[in-house]
């Protein structure tokens, strides 16, 4: 669950946190840094009937899961919010979890089939950056104060106080302690530090009496008891049941759009990615234009232009922390404008508001004044920097790029050609003859040099990269991007050959592999420690976002004859909605069957490009027959 401020709530179905990124309340802390911070990690919640305790929570410690609340769990249901049901010796306990959409607050409602329960809730507090773990400091001075219907806890540093409250009269039993050796299984499997200490100030105790429900909330501001219940039910009422892929994607589109004081940002992926320039421009059209949110598109563009310098957008960071370490980000910016113009059908306005940035990109790329990008005499774009990966395949291992791709990268040059042609189109609509006269000869040069440089009649596909060391004939999906663009530097015959080989070697039901399985460098499983995973990241791992450009290439080359196949691929993601995260499309999949989901559970460009695929189907009037649509209401027996 994500709210409009960029806070999130995430855990496993069993409620046992298995990642350092899991937490019931994870929120930005701008006084500390630009990242999210785990504030409330988890709870220890216990229900008591007739002096018999039923513990609902699960924590992992060395060699044991304790308590074992999953043994009482009968089901988990997703209905736009999370709902667990427990059976405590015939007494049914329902627990509903929901994140406030407008404030940094999480609610948990407990409903009991029999009155007379006593509820004890102990908060496990982390207050640390999502990428780190907290070491216990038993001497640290944690400020704990009783409040109305709860307590306030002030952790050291710049953290805002945390308020823990309930909707019924309660008492706070003070018992401050650090719980050491809390383990996160998935961090251990991925080769990271996996143990931390969490602070527990004590517990809130509620005697429900004749009442059969109580609402617990945790936030950075206090609430009155009556407002706690009202706010919970208002949030619950606002959640809509989603059925099938279409509705889930519509809902997921908003997960990545975060409003901050300085503007509107796209979060590249939940839970651990932040703001990335390249990801923003690739994901933005799908996340906004396909769901008729052009104003958000424009707001994000204005936000991105704040850090635009000398023809470059930062790929990571903002302001003083901006890193201008990519050659393709600015070209993806122009590609996003191209899709915006297709949506608005007002090229003259695109030119009016964005021509300065577009011209700056083209002029700086052409001039050779940038330290790592320059146009050659034949019109092609050379981008290289020792020890750096300048395209989207940017994994670094032991200080060296896994796929450096220095020199002439195939999709970079296709984006360059497309950007120039699109700018000439805009200039023509705006009547800018000077720009046209200055640039019109370059596309003609590229149309000759591009196939001469990249195409092999013998191999039947485009080279991935060409440089002074030779030609890299690694079979990768970047050539599919090259033949998908509206202004394409090769003809349909070459484009069809590229599609044919991509379908034979790269295409899977979950996206395109980043390398052919026949290549000796191919790695079909994305697993292991950080080094092992980075070695596989672009060496065979499947990326769903590439399906957007595969579908676009199919339609450009084959026309409506491609629609049925595209539709099958699109609806194949019905099952993906609940196999990893709920109602989200993940970052990557294994290259080998059965193509298990990996990486972050919700990725912006995976979602955005699937939305674009759907838009292509609709735009071309495709009317599918009875499709398999499955509700993502998942009833899951929690097992460890």
């Amino acid at each position: 669950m994500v709210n409009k401020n960029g806070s999130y709530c995430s855990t496993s179905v069993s409620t046992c946190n298995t990642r350092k990124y899991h937490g019931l309340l994870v929120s930005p802390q701008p006084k500390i840094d630009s990242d999210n911070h785990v504030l409330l990690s988890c709870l220890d919640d216990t229900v008591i009937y007739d002096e018999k305790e039923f513990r609902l929570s699960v924590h992992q410690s060395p060699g044991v899961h304790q308590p074992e609340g999953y043994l009482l769990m009968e089901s988990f249901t997703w209905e736009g919010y999370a709902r667990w049901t427990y059976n405590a010796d015939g007494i049914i306990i329902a627990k509903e979890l929901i994140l406030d959409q407008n404030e940094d607050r999480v609610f948990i409602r407990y409903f009991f089939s029999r009155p007379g329960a006593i509820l004890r809730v102990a908060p496990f507090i982390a207050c640390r950056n999502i990428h780190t773990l907290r070491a216990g400091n038993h001497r640290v001075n944690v400020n704990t104060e009783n409040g109305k219907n709860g307590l306030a806890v002030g952790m050291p540093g710049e953290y805002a106080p945390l308020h823990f409250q309930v909707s019924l009269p309660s008492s706070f039993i003070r018992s401050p302690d650090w719980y050491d050796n809390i383990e996160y299984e998935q961090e251990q499997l991925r080769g990271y530090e996996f143990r931390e200490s969490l602070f527990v100030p004590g517990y809130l105790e509620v005697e429900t009496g004749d009442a059969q429900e109580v609402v617990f909330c945790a936030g950075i501001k206090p609430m009155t008891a009556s407002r706690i219940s009202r706010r919970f039910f208002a949030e619950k009422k606002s959640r809509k049941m989603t059925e099938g892929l279409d509705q889930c994607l519509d809902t997921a589109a908003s997960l990545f759009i975060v409003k901050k004081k300085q503007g509107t940002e796209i979060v590249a992926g939940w839970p651990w990615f932040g703001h990335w320039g390249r990801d923003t421009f690739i994901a933005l059209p799908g996340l906004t234009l396909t769901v008729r949110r052009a104003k958000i598109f424009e707001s994000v563009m204005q936000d991105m232009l704040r850090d635009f310098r000398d023809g470059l957008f930062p790929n990571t960071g903002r302001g003083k922390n901006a890193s201008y370490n990519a050659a393709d980000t600015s070209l993806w910016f122009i590609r996003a404008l191209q899709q915006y113009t297709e949506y608005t059908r007002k090229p003259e306005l695109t030119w009016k508001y964005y021509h300065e940035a577009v011209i700056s990109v083209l002029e700086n790329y052409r001039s050779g004044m940038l330290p790592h990008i320059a146009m050659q005499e034949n019109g092609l774009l050379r981008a290289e920097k020792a020890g750096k990966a300048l395209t989207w395949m940017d994994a670094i291992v032991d200080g060296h790029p896994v796929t450096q791709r220095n020199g002439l990268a195939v999709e970079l040059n296709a984006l360059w050609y497309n950007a120039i042609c699109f700018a000439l189109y805009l200039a023509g609509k705006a009547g800018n003859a000077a720009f046209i006269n200055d640039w019109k000869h370059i596309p003609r040069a590229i149309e000759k040099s591009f196939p001469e440089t990249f195409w092999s009649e013998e191999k039947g596909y485009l080279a991935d990269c060409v440089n002074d060391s030779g030609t890299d004939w690694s079979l990768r999906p970047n050539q599919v991007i090259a033949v998908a663009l509206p202004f394409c530097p090769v003809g349909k015959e070459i484009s069809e050959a590229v599609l044919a080989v991509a379908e034979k070697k790269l295409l899977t039901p979950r996206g395109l592999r980043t390398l052919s399985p026949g290549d000796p460098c191919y790695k079909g499983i994305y697993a292991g420690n950080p080094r092992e995973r980075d070695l596989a990241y672009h060496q065979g791992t499947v990326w769903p976002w590439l399906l957007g450009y595969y579908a676009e290439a199919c339609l450009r080359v084959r026309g409506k004859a491609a629609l049925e196949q595209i539709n099958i691929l699109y609806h194949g993601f019905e099952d993906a909605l609940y196999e990893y995260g709920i109602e989200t499309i993940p970052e990557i999949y294994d290259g080998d069957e059965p193509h298990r989901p990996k990486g972050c559970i919700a990725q912006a460009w995976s979602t955005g490009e699937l939305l674009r695929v759907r838009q292509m189907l609709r735009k071309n009037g495709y009317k599918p027959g009875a499709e398999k649509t499955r509700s993502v209401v998942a009833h899951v027996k929690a097992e460890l």
Side-chain angles (χ1 to χ4, degrees), residues 293-565:
R293 295 175 181 169
K295 292 296 183 184
I296 294 178
F297 179 100
E298 294 161 1
S299 179
V300 172
M301 280 297 194
Q302 286 303 116
D303 182 69
M304 293 297 295
L305 284 165
R306 290 190 297 109
D307 291 313
F308 183 63
R309 302 285 185 276
D310 300 323
L312 295 175
F313 288 91
N315 195 40
T316 59
R318 306 303 303 265
K320 294 179 180 179
N321 298 318
S323 179
Y324 299 84
N325 61 346
D328 58 343
T329 302
S330 294
L331 300 179
W332 285 114
F333 158 72
I334 295 176
R335 172 67 184 129
L337 286 180
Q338 188 177 32
Q339 295 173 75
Y340 171 74
T341 305
E342 291 169 1
Y343 175 85
T344 64
R345 299 181 182 180
K346 296 178 180 179
E348 65 282 355
L349 291 183
T350 302
W351 184 259
K352 177 180 178 181
Y353 292 113
Y354 298 104
H355 74 277
E356 291 182 359
V358 170
I359 292 174
S360 177
V361 172
L362 299 183
E363 291 286 2
N364 278 283
Y365 275 49
R366 179 174 68 170
S367 68
M369 296 300 291
L370 294 173
H372 53 282
I373 306 170
M375 189 185 80
Q376 298 184 149
E377 290 185 4
N378 63 1
L380 295 181
L381 202 64
R382 175 179 290 271
E384 55 189 350
K385 191 173 185 181
K388 300 294 182 182
L390 302 178
T391 70
W392 77 278
M393 292 185 167
D394 55 1
I396 302 290
V397 170
D398 299 332
H400 301 285
V402 179
T403 51
Q404 187 167 38
R405 309 182 70 227
N406 267 351
L408 309 174
V410 64
E411 88 284 3
L412 186 69
N413 276 280
L415 286 165
W416 170 241
Y417 173 81
N418 181 73
I420 297 169
C421 292
F422 174 60
L424 286 168
Y425 163 76
L426 292 180
K429 291 293 184 179
N432 192 319
F435 179 86
I436 294 172
N437 289 332
D438 190 24
W439 283 89
K440 64 182 180 182
H441 67 285
I442 297 178
R444 290 196 293 268
I446 296 174
E447 288 160 14
K448 180 176 183 297
S449 59
F450 188 95
E452 289 177 348
T453 302
F454 294 103
W455 171 246
S456 168
E457 188 74 38
E458 178 183 356
K459 295 182 180 296
Y461 61 89
L462 296 169
D464 189 60
C465 188
V466 179
N467 54 41
D468 295 338
S469 299
T471 301
D472 181 1
W473 290 106
S474 300
L475 182 51
R476 299 187 183 276
N478 302 304
Q479 59 185 307
V480 176
I481 299 172
V483 302
L485 297 168
F487 295 104
C488 179
V490 295
K492 285 194 174 182
E493 185 176 345
I494 292 178
S495 297
E496 176 58 50
V498 166
L499 281 175
V501 75
E503 288 165 346
K504 185 177 180 181
K505 300 292 187 180
L506 304 177
L507 182 63
T508 77
R510 290 291 182 257
L512 297 181
R513 294 185 180 97
T514 41
L515 186 64
S516 167
D519 194 293
C521 294
Y522 173 79
K523 297 186 183 299
I525 303 296
Y526 179 84
N529 60 37
R531 184 179 189 276
E532 292 167 333
R533 296 197 313 276
D534 282 342
L535 285 171
Y537 205 37
H538 302 112
Q539 297 285 70
T541 298
V542 170
W543 292 73
W545 80 268
L546 293 165
L547 280 180
Y549 283 86
Y550 168 74
E552 208 160 25
C554 286
L555 289 171
R556 192 183 73 81
V557 176
R558 300 167 181 168
K560 292 190 175 183
L563 288 173
E564 183 176 356
Q565 181 192 9

Side-chain angles (χ1 to χ4, degrees), residues 161-177:
L162 285 171
H163 296 268
F164 303 103
Q165 298 174 282
V166 288
S167 57
L168 295 177
S170 66
S171 56
F172 170 55
I173 290 78
R174 189 184 304 271
S175 179
D177 199 2

Side-chain angles (χ1 to χ4, degrees), residues 20-301:
K20 61 189 174 187
Y21 301 101
H22 282 160
L24 296 180
L25 182 60
V26 186
S27 299
Q29 296 291 294
K31 290 184 179 180
I32 300 174
D33 55 33
S34 59
D35 289 331
N36 274 324
H37 286 242
V38 179
L39 304 180
L40 174 62
S41 177
C42 56
L43 298 177
D44 205 17
D45 43 4
T46 303
V47 178
I48 303 172
Y49 279 101
D50 302 324
E51 298 185 351
K52 187 173 182 179
E53 296 186 356
F54 302 95
R55 301 183 70 183
L56 309 184
S57 57
V58 187
H59 314 300
Q60 180 174 325
S61 299
V64 66
H65 289 91
Q66 186 67 33
E68 298 176 307
Y70 62 91
L71 296 176
L72 302 177
M73 189 182 298
E74 286 202 331
S75 68
F76 167 79
T77 307
W78 177 258
E79 301 178 29
Y81 57 90
R83 177 184 172 92
W84 292 265
T85 57
Y86 300 84
N87 190 322
D89 287 353
I91 302 168
I92 302 302
I93 304 167
K95 185 166 73 170
E96 296 174 336
L97 173 68
I98 200 163
L99 182 68
D100 196 308
Q101 280 299 294
N102 297 295
E103 298 180 6
D104 297 329
R105 180 178 287 106
V106 66
F107 297 94
I108 301 176
R109 173 182 177 252
Y110 297 87
F111 178 82
F112 312 101
S113 65
R114 199 186 91 185
I118 297 174
L119 174 67
R120 290 175 179 169
V121 181
F124 281 55
I125 302 170
C127 284
R128 45 89 175 164
N129 185 288
I130 58 171
H131 302 297
T132 65
L133 291 174
R134 176 173 279 281
N137 184 350
H138 294 248
R139 297 180 181 179
V140 72
N141 182 24
V142 179
N143 182 27
T144 304
E145 296 180 359
N146 286 55
K148 196 170 185 180
N149 291 319
L151 71 148
V153 179
M155 294 293 282
E158 295 294 322
Y159 285 101
L162 285 171
H163 296 268
F164 303 103
Q165 298 174 282
V166 288
S167 57
L168 295 177
S170 66
S171 56
F172 170 55
I173 290 78
R174 189 184 304 271
S175 179
D177 199 2
W178 287 90
Y179 280 67
D180 299 324
N181 294 320
I182 299 292
E183 293 187 344
Y184 304 114
E185 180 182 33
Q186 290 300 314
E187 301 304 324
Q188 182 179 13
L189 292 174
R190 290 163 63 92
Y192 294 121
E193 293 293 323
F194 61 96
R195 288 179 182 152
E196 78 168 334
S197 299
L198 299 173
F199 177 72
V200 178
Y203 59 89
L204 288 170
E205 183 171 282
V206 183
E207 296 186 16
T208 61
D210 293 334
Q212 290 182 258
E213 70 174 27
V214 59
V215 180
F216 167 89
C217 74
I220 60 175
K221 294 180 180 179
M223 298 183 78
T224 61
S226 60
R227 186 166 179 256
I228 290 173
S229 290
R230 288 200 309 269
R231 187 64 189 164
F232 169 81
F233 284 106
E235 287 290 332
K236 182 176 176 178
K237 186 178 180 180
S238 70
R239 301 302 194 269
K240 294 182 179 179
M241 192 73 175
T242 51
E243 295 282 347
L245 183 59
D246 285 351
Q247 290 185 16
C248 289
L249 287 176
D250 286 339
T251 301
S254 62
L255 295 180
F256 307 96
I257 299 166
V258 175
K259 293 186 181 296
K260 298 193 173 182
K261 288 183 178 180
Q262 68 272 20
T264 307
E265 290 186 352
I266 298 295
V267 172
W270 296 104
W272 57 76
F273 282 121
H275 169 81
W276 286 68
R278 179 190 296 116
D279 296 54
T280 292
F281 293 132
I282 292 175
L284 183 59
L287 296 179
T288 58
L289 303 179
T290 68
V291 289
R292 299 182 180 181
R293 295 175 181 169
K295 292 296 183 184
I296 294 178
F297 179 100
E298 294 161 1
S299 179
V300 172
M301 280 297 194

